[in-house]
Amino acid sequence: MVANLPNVSCKQSKRGWNQECTFNDWRIDIDASGCNAKKGAYGKVYVDEEAAVMLRRSLPPSQPDVEAKLKDGQFVCVAATARGSTGSEPQWYYVMAIPVRSVKACATKSFCAKPGDLPIEWMRSTSGQRCHVNARGRYAGDCAAGWVKAKEFGEFSMGL
């Protein structure tokens, strides 16, 4: 998913290793499990309640091409992180808004369900097919995905 974004170049040093991806001066680490219904990294986006989190199609310095806007507390999975050429802390996360009920480990966790699935403000036309898990355990349909600033995202600690 991330490797297919415009201007992101990836290579795989050895068979079986994770891809090493870059975009300008950004080092992009792709989560090997990515966003799928069986395992992955999950969290929520956070923003001032009056604003929205913008899902960008590319990293700075490109002009922000916004895919969609998410509300405060939207449940997401993480597909990748972007770090500066010299930094070790992620500055951007590539996330996907997914249905909370699609993650079985969330069934008994109150922090997953509140506030639950929130409306997404799309900045492009959609197919009308809601985001769902397909037969291979991958997300399909209209799943809002893009880059968010690290300060706008909180990953659940200790997994689910």
Side-chain angles (χ1 to χ4, degrees), residues 6-64:
N7 303 318
V8 172
S9 61
C10 298
K11 64 180 181 177
Q12 191 171 18
S13 298
K14 293 186 179 182
R15 187 176 175 179
W17 285 23
N18 287 342
Q19 292 186 52
E20 297 171 5
C21 300
T22 58
F23 174 79
N24 290 339
D25 290 334
W26 297 103
R27 290 178 298 130
I28 300 171
D29 298 321
I30 297 176
D31 185 329
S33 58
C35 288
N36 70 58
K38 297 188 184 214
K39 64 179 184 173
Y42 306 98
K44 291 185 179 183
V45 295
Y46 296 102
V47 68
D48 188 353
E49 288 186 31
E50 298 297 317
V53 173
M54 292 189 290
L55 294 178
R56 297 171 54 133
R57 290 183 47 81
S58 65
L59 293 163
S62 299
Q63 290 295 325

Side-chain angles (χ1 to χ4, degrees), residues 102-140:
S102 68
V103 180
K104 288 182 175 84
C106 266
T108 61
K109 310 283 193 275
S110 64
F111 61 85
C112 287
K114 294 179 184 173
D117 297 330
L118 298 169
I120 295 168
E121 182 182 348
W122 290 96
M123 301 290 111
R124 62 167 177 82
S125 59
T126 63
S127 70
Q129 186 181 32
R130 296 187 77 163
C131 186
H132 66 280
V133 179
N134 65 19
R136 293 180 25 203
R138 295 282 182 197
Y139 290 97

